[in-house]
Amino acid sequence: MKNDSFWKFIDNSGTFIAKDPQNISYLYFPLANEAEIMSSITPMLGGDIKTNNNSFLMLPTSRADLPDSNSSRNFWLYINKNKNVWPLSGNHSNNSKDKVILEAGFLFHKIIRKNVKLGLEAEIINFVPVTQDQVELMLVKVTNISKSKLKITPTTTIPMFARSADNLRDHRHVTSLLNRIKQEKYGVVVKPIMSFDERGHKINQTSYYVFGLDNTNQAPLGSFPTFEYLIKEGGNLNNPLSVINNSSPKKLSQQELSGKEAMGALRFKTKKLKPKESAYFAIILGIADTDKGIAKTFKKFNTINKIKTALNENKSFWKNKINALSFNTGNYNFDNWLRWVNLQPTLRKIFGCSFLPDFDYGRGGKGWRDIWQDCLTLLLTNPKDICPLICSNFSGVRIDATNATIITKKPGHFISDRNKISRVWMDHGLWPFFTLNLYINQTGDLNILLRKATYFRDPQIMRSKELDYNYNGENVLKTKQNKIYKGTILEHILIQHLVQFFNVGQHNFIRLENGDWNDGLDMATLKGESVAFSAFYAFNLNKIADLLEKLKKIKKIKDVSILKEILILLKPANYNSVQSKIKILNKYLSSTKLSVSGKTTKVKIERLIKNLRRKADWLTKHIHNNEWINISRDLGFFNGYYDNKSRRVEGRQEGQVKMTLTAQVFPILSGVASDKQIKKIYRAVKKYLQDKKLKGFRLNTYFKKPQFDLGRAFAFAYGEKENGAIFSHMCVMFAYALYSRGFVKEGFEVITSLYKLAKNSGVSKIYPNLPEYFNLRGRGMYSYLTGSASWYVMTLLTQVFGIQRDYGDLIIAPKLVKEQFKTSKQVSVQLSFTNKKINISYLNPHKKDFPNYSIKEVKTNLTFQKISAKEVLIKKASILSVKSNRINIKITLD
């Protein structure tokens, strides 16, 4: 595959440039701050601006709109000399001779547009300040590059949608009738009189505004505040007659301003520019809940210099945030690309899985699986800061081991389902513990297991198979005495795993229910089973037992209190009998159906450990003995699923091999697969799942026809989404699993394949990031908001660089291959550890390959213990004893 890129990095801070980016149809770039104003912007200044699903300043934008929409942050120049116009969005015939350069960094977007024929160059910078203001700032610099004087008359033409995304196709005209528009000194404000919702209308408090000022910080001459007033009869956004004819704006009557589509169309004073002279203009695009809020925000940014200062603060803020964890591999492009990947979990924290053009689903909030996995990278940098979030999120667990699926912006507040559908994803019980286990290893904070949290309660009961029609609206589980019940976080974890152990289908694997990690497997609700994630549950059961061993050893705790009803799940049982397991499950679910006793009982930790390990061992052996498929002497893999007719999904069927990557990842990670089996699996993955041209690894083979007894995924075009795409998240988890089992070269091939696909932007056609997937042609899809970013960074740090924490202590065990020393004999990583900056570098003077090198020398002012030739242990106390905030550890490999 030809390696070609339409962008290139220009510094060591991730800043990149791209020539003529408007020639690629679906590009977009995120702008945001932690006050959660969320923007997307395109090379032609399209995209949108919003604070939530109900408050869009600009027209909501989906992927299909990107190459086609005329709704943009347009800025027109009327050139008096020849009565010509030049729109800075590029959406006009006069832009055909433009030369365009994009420059983007953390987190700003700059377009440089040059037209020699017209004698003008424009620089447009958009960014969101890092304050708590819900505003996007736009700084425009216009320069005369001709040899004669020019007179220009600038006008912004920014359509103001000013309402909920729901109204895009629901009463769009009717909701425009609610608009009340004001022409103010610095621009246009629109405040709809109410929010239209036939289920119950609400008085609206939200205002939307577009303000402007010039390089002397003077207000615009006036505005064209409505769509029809700007374009005139017969005009449109590409031909706004008020601009084309250079009409003068006027004050409109209240009648003319009411009930219209609003426009942020501001006319500035005519500027005379000498050759090489520049003029600045600023546009402030905001959303506010009060008039005072508008005034307060505008006061912060009401001069050109204030906006320039805000831009510098923006760059500095994001740079420092990214630098909390950074890698120096000697590969300039990879290191810079990785900085963007490192940003992605923060973007997901702000955007959730909505509000960028590809993500035109959902109504905001963070998904259950997403919120836990996004914590992974955050835990690598500031684990203590994440503790309150982890604790509050456990309150989203139901007593039947299901959970609310959406976490709102307010900590500890949940929504059962974004679409109000009763459904259950069988993998949801896994992720809280996986994240919690990393937190405990990072910090050594075993006490978190004994902290208490409430349980989520809503009408869905019996794992969403039934509804409580007498539900009173309280979202918290109560006892039979009507008191709020709280259980330890350990208890929450036990429920999530013990219930699932008994929740089995015909083949004695955990039921698929409405899907697992693969949302597209949603049509096997009755008889579907997930072998793949049964393996992950086995893995977690063992890890919970490990934690209890530590609790017993370090904290000297001999027993723990749990809800009395849980004892049902701990009693001896015949694990081989599906009927017996279902009977136990139903007994527990019935006993906790509407409320709980509230009574707790003490259980010996040793008993719990033995019980969990017995369950884990049984599940491991059951998968190993029944789901391995030998294709040939050298090839084999695990079956991962049973469908809604209880049929095995994978294997050699109807003259073809059916295989999924998911079914291999978790048997490898959990230890179900032996080393010999892993070798066969990897060869099978290479043969059946690796794209021969793109070299990436696909999620599944081509099943050739829809699988209506398994899920919607197989109705998608092959190579898209969950039907055979190169799905970044599963590929990274595959790499993580391989590294964790010592298959380092194989893991390196998998994790590197994603970088190569993303970097080859001539094919992937995306800016630097790790997208959700690459399609059949290698195009990157669904940029920025993907859980794979957290896993990628975690895999690189903990597996590749081998830097892990063990209950607060630091363990260093590198798994670097010789290819990673190709350009340099030394690689390094900088990370935070208990508020100290640690630089760990590896010197490989002879560029030896893994596993042929050993740790020859360790240079540091810390006390360390060389556990083996491959591993070094540094106690947490040793790190804390150092007074300096910067620590260097230099390790020689030979």
Side-chain angles (χ1 to χ4, degrees):
M1 182 177 65
K2 183 182 177 183
N3 200 330
D4 185 25
S5 186
F6 74 86
W7 50 258
K8 67 176 182 179
F9 292 112
I10 59 172
D11 59 23
N12 292 315
S13 299
T15 310
F16 63 94
I17 61 171
K19 185 179 179 182
D20 292 322
Q22 74 280 4
N23 292 335
I24 295 177
S25 298
Y26 298 99
L27 290 173
Y28 58 85
F29 187 83
L31 299 172
N33 65 15
E34 292 181 335
E36 296 194 0
I37 184 163
M38 299 164 283
S39 298
S40 61
I41 187 167
T42 72
M44 300 180 81
L45 308 181
D48 56 29
I49 304 170
K50 61 273 166 185
T51 54
N52 55 57
N53 191 66
N54 295 319
S55 303
F56 274 76
L57 170 56
M58 292 179 67
L59 190 75
T61 302
S62 294
R63 181 179 183 84
D65 303 319
L66 293 175
D68 196 40
S69 177
N70 294 324
S71 176
S72 70
R73 305 158 175 81
N74 212 343
F75 192 98
W76 293 75
L77 298 176
Y78 181 85
I79 305 164
N80 296 55
K81 180 179 180 181
N82 50 19
K83 297 184 179 180
N84 215 337
V85 292
W86 192 44
L88 302 191
S89 71
N91 242 347
H92 194 274
S93 58
N94 285 350
N95 296 112
S96 61
K97 300 294 184 182
D98 290 2
K99 293 182 179 179
V100 182
I101 296 290
L102 170 135
E103 180 184 325
F106 301 108
L107 258 177
F108 69 91
H109 180 276
K110 181 197 292 185
I111 289 289
I112 302 169
R113 185 173 288 275
K114 186 176 182 179
N115 191 306
V116 176
K117 183 179 179 181
L118 296 175
L120 288 168
E121 180 179 281
E123 180 182 287
I124 310 105
I125 299 177
N126 290 74
F127 68 99
V128 169
V130 292
T131 59
Q132 289 299 304
D133 300 287
Q134 294 183 324
V135 64
E136 180 186 310
L137 303 176
M138 179 171 169
L139 189 61
V140 180
K141 176 185 176 184
V142 180
T143 303
N144 180 356
I145 59 171
S146 72
K147 294 181 180 180
S148 58
K149 294 180 181 179
L150 289 175
K151 286 172 65 178
I152 56 169
T153 304
T155 309
T156 66
T157 59
I158 303 170
M160 300 174 71
F161 187 66
R163 51 196 185 271
S164 170
D166 294 342
N167 302 131
L168 188 62
R169 297 295 302 169
D170 182 10
H171 293 88
R172 179 165 181 182
H173 173 254
V174 169
T175 51
S176 73
L177 302 179
L178 303 172
N179 284 347
R180 300 297 183 265
I181 303 168
K182 290 182 182 179
Q183 289 176 285
E184 298 199 353
K185 179 180 179 181
Y186 283 93
V188 176
V189 178
V190 55
K191 184 178 181 181
I193 202 80
M194 71 178 192
S195 298
F196 184 93
D197 188 336
E198 290 179 309
R199 294 167 297 183
H201 306 305
K202 295 179 181 177
I203 297 172
N204 173 61
Q205 303 296 335
T206 304
S207 296
Y208 307 83
Y209 60 98
V210 175
F211 285 177
L213 50 95
D214 64 15
N215 58 312
T216 61
N217 302 320
Q218 296 300 304
L221 281 176
S223 61
F224 304 92
T226 70
F227 189 84
E228 60 188 44
Y229 181 42
L230 171 73
I231 68 169
K232 305 297 184 185
E233 202 68 40
N236 55 51
L237 285 175
N238 282 338
N239 189 42
L241 297 181
S242 291
V243 175
I244 303 301
N245 299 328
N246 201 25
S247 305
S248 297
K250 67 175 184 178
K251 277 279 188 179
L252 302 184
S253 68
Q254 189 57 51
Q255 187 175 3
E256 291 173 301
L257 289 169
S258 297
K260 302 292 192 300
E261 292 283 4
M263 284 296 303
L266 315 181
R267 167 62 55 79
F268 292 92
K269 293 178 183 177
T270 298
K271 296 286 184 182
K272 295 179 181 179
L273 295 178
K274 299 174 184 177
K276 298 183 181 180
E277 187 179 4
S278 300
Y280 282 93
F281 305 90
I283 314 299
I284 297 97
L285 307 99
I287 301 172
D289 291 330
T290 64
D291 292 342
K292 288 183 179 179
I294 296 175
K296 184 180 178 182
T297 297
F298 183 62
K299 188 176 180 180
K300 291 182 182 179
F301 308 110
N302 61 359
T303 71
I304 298 293
N305 283 337
K306 286 181 181 179
I307 291 174
K308 287 181 177 179
T309 299
L311 176 62
N312 290 330
E313 290 172 351
N314 170 283
K315 292 178 180 179
S316 178
F317 172 87
W318 289 109
K319 182 179 179 180
N320 290 336
K321 197 171 189 70
I322 299 303
N323 281 344
L325 176 62
S326 60
F327 297 84
N328 183 355
T329 67
N331 184 330
Y332 172 77
N333 285 320
F334 177 73
D335 293 346
N336 270 308
W337 175 79
L338 197 57
R339 296 172 78 81
W340 286 98
V341 177
N342 203 10
L343 171 72
Q344 288 180 233
T346 300
L347 292 177
R348 277 245 296 202
K349 189 169 180 283
I350 296 169
F351 284 86
C353 286
S354 307
F355 303 134
L356 283 180
D358 275 322
F359 301 82
D360 54 355
Y361 49 82
R363 304 172 60 81
K366 281 74 176 174
W368 182 260
R369 190 185 301 119
D370 309 321
I371 196 72
W372 292 102
Q373 293 190 79
D374 291 345
C375 286
L376 296 176
T377 297
L378 303 175
L379 282 172
L380 298 175
T381 52
N382 296 299
K384 283 288 185 184
D385 295 345
I386 306 301
C387 181
L389 178 64
I390 289 174
C391 293
S392 67
N393 285 345
F394 270 102
S395 292
V397 176
R398 294 190 188 96
I399 197 68
D400 63 5
T402 63
N403 51 268
T405 61
I406 298 295
I407 293 90
T408 66
K409 290 182 180 180
K410 189 175 180 181
H413 286 250
F414 309 91
I415 298 171
S416 59
D417 188 275
R418 63 159 58 99
N419 295 314
K420 299 182 179 178
I421 301 171
S422 295
R423 53 184 171 175
V424 172
W425 284 271
M426 64 81 64
D427 67 307
H428 276 189
L430 293 162
W431 307 110
F433 173 72
F434 191 85
T435 301
L436 178 71
N437 193 41
L438 178 63
Y439 166 79
I440 292 173
N441 275 306
Q442 290 290 98
T443 62
D445 180 16
L446 286 163
N447 291 327
I448 193 173
L449 292 169
L450 305 179
R451 292 193 189 187
K452 290 191 174 184
T454 56
Y455 288 87
F456 183 68
R457 176 74 160 88
D458 66 351
Q460 298 182 32
I461 53 177
M462 301 292 285
R463 293 191 65 81
S464 296
K465 291 194 203 67
E466 297 180 18
L467 290 175
D468 175 11
Y469 293 102
N470 296 315
Y471 171 64
N472 63 8
E474 292 184 300
N475 287 130
V476 63
L477 178 70
K478 290 190 174 182
T479 66
K480 289 177 171 57
Q481 292 73 39
N482 203 35
K483 293 182 178 179
I484 293 174
Y485 177 72
K486 290 184 177 182
T488 62
I489 286 177
L490 173 61
E491 182 185 279
H492 285 66
I493 292 162
L494 289 171
I495 288 171
Q496 287 179 302
H497 290 77
L498 293 173
V499 168
Q500 284 294 71
F501 179 79
F502 292 98
N503 182 26
V504 295
Q506 181 178 319
H507 301 88
N508 216 340
F509 297 106
I510 299 172
R511 292 180 58 237
L512 182 56
E513 296 176 301
N514 299 104
D516 58 16
W517 168 90
N518 188 337
D519 294 343
L521 306 183
D522 58 350
M523 298 172 75
T525 307
L526 297 177
K527 296 183 178 181
E529 298 170 64
S530 177
V531 180
F533 281 89
S534 293
F536 202 169
Y537 273 102
F539 175 79
N540 271 9
L541 285 166
N542 266 323
K543 290 296 181 181
I544 296 168
D546 290 344
L547 272 186
L548 290 172
E549 296 272 15
K550 287 288 184 179
L551 199 62
K552 180 184 173 185
K553 182 179 178 181
I554 297 174
K555 296 295 180 180
K556 309 298 181 185
I557 295 175
K558 295 181 179 180
D559 48 48
V560 291
S561 294
I562 59 172
L563 183 69
K564 197 172 183 180
E565 287 90 328
I566 299 174
L567 292 176
I568 297 168
L569 305 173
L570 294 174
K571 289 180 179 178
N574 180 6
Y575 295 161
N576 294 315
S577 170
V578 171
Q579 289 74 23
S580 295
K581 289 172 89 170
I582 292 173
K583 186 177 179 180
I584 291 168
L585 172 70
N586 288 334
K587 185 178 180 181
Y588 171 79
L589 293 179
S590 297
S591 71
T592 58
K593 186 173 180 178
L594 300 175
S595 59
V596 292
S597 67
K599 296 177 182 178
T600 60
T601 184
K602 288 192 174 183
V603 179
K604 294 289 184 185
I605 281 187
E606 193 58 41
R607 178 191 170 188
L608 268 179
I609 292 168
K610 288 179 180 178
N611 191 286
L612 295 172
R613 294 215 190 277
R614 195 178 302 121
K615 286 177 168 66
D617 290 347
W618 182 90
L619 197 47
T620 297
K621 289 174 183 175
H622 185 55
I623 298 169
H624 188 274
N625 294 340
N626 294 285
E627 298 308 312
W628 177 253
I629 301 166
N630 267 313
I631 296 298
S632 68
R633 182 179 176 182
D634 297 321
L635 304 175
F637 54 84
F638 283 94
N639 169 55
Y641 296 96
Y642 286 89
D643 70 10
N644 214 32
K645 290 183 178 177
S646 295
R647 297 173 301 192
R648 176 178 277 183
V649 170
E650 296 171 66
R652 194 184 294 278
Q653 301 173 14
E654 300 173 350
Q656 68 173 120
V657 171
K658 295 181 179 179
M659 179 184 183
T660 70
L661 186 60
T662 310
Q664 317 319 314
V665 169
F666 298 107
I668 293 173
L669 178 66
S670 64
V672 170
S674 66
D675 285 356
K676 185 178 179 180
Q677 286 175 322
I678 294 173
K679 291 175 183 177
K680 286 189 173 186
I681 288 170
Y682 197 73
R683 285 194 289 264
V685 168
K686 294 272 287 181
K687 180 176 177 64
Y688 297 116
L689 296 178
Q690 187 176 33
D691 188 287
K692 300 303 179 281
K693 180 180 178 182
L694 300 172
K695 301 302 180 184
F697 297 85
R698 299 203 168 278
L699 196 56
N700 55 270
T701 55
Y702 184 28
F703 281 30
K704 295 186 179 178
K705 58 184 178 181
Q707 306 292 306
F708 295 126
D709 291 307
L710 187 56
R712 68 175 189 259
F714 296 94
F716 298 153
Y718 184 69
E720 297 286 350
K721 269 289 195 177
E722 291 96 344
N723 187 16
I726 298 171
F727 220 92
S728 298
H729 200 169
M730 194 52 65
C731 285
V732 179
M733 289 194 284
F734 185 41
Y736 181 90
L738 289 166
Y739 270 108
S740 71
R741 293 294 302 275
F743 286 79
V744 172
K745 292 178 182 179
E746 293 83 355
F748 177 74
E749 181 181 11
V750 175
I751 201 166
T752 305
S753 69
L754 292 172
Y755 162 67
K756 289 178 179 178
L757 284 165
K759 176 64 175 68
N760 188 12
S761 60
V763 175
S764 64
K765 297 183 179 2
I766 53 173
Y767 293 141
N769 79 99
L770 182 61
E772 182 182 273
Y773 72 91
F774 299 90
N775 67 16
L776 210 57
R777 301 178 304 279
R779 187 167 199 144
M781 303 292 291
Y782 293 73
S783 287
Y784 300 108
L785 308 182
T786 165
S788 56
S790 282
W791 274 83
Y792 198 102
V793 175
M794 182 180 72
T795 301
L796 201 64
L797 181 67
T798 65
Q799 296 297 325
V800 181
F801 276 74
I803 299 164
Q804 300 184 30
R805 297 195 205 178
D806 181 42
Y807 299 94
D809 296 336
L810 186 64
I811 291 180
I812 304 173
K815 299 173 185 174
L816 296 154
V817 296
K818 64 181 181 181
E819 287 87 349
Q820 290 168 290
F821 295 96
K822 193 173 182 179
T823 57
S824 174
K825 293 179 181 179
Q826 182 169 301
V827 299
S828 63
V829 59
Q830 296 77 42
L831 65 148
S832 297
F833 189 109
T834 58
N835 297 320
K836 296 180 186 293
K837 290 284 186 182
I838 300 181
N839 182 82
I840 300 172
S841 61
Y842 297 105
L843 177 65
N844 188 350
H846 300 107
K847 298 187 177 182
K848 289 185 177 180
D849 200 5
F850 182 92
N852 299 327
Y853 55 73
S854 299
I855 296 174
K856 182 181 179 182
E857 185 181 34
V858 180
K859 288 185 178 179
T860 180
N861 56 342
L862 300 172
T863 302
F864 66 89
Q865 177 186 351
K866 196 171 179 182
I867 297 175
S868 69
K870 305 291 184 184
E871 191 173 313
V872 168
L873 169 67
I874 299 175
K875 290 286 186 180
K876 181 179 179 180
S878 176
I879 296 172
L880 292 176
S881 67
V882 176
K883 293 182 179 179
S884 173
N885 287 328
R886 293 189 177 273
I887 297 170
N888 290 307
I889 303 171
K890 190 171 183 178
I891 296 173
T892 301
L893 307 174
D894 206 356

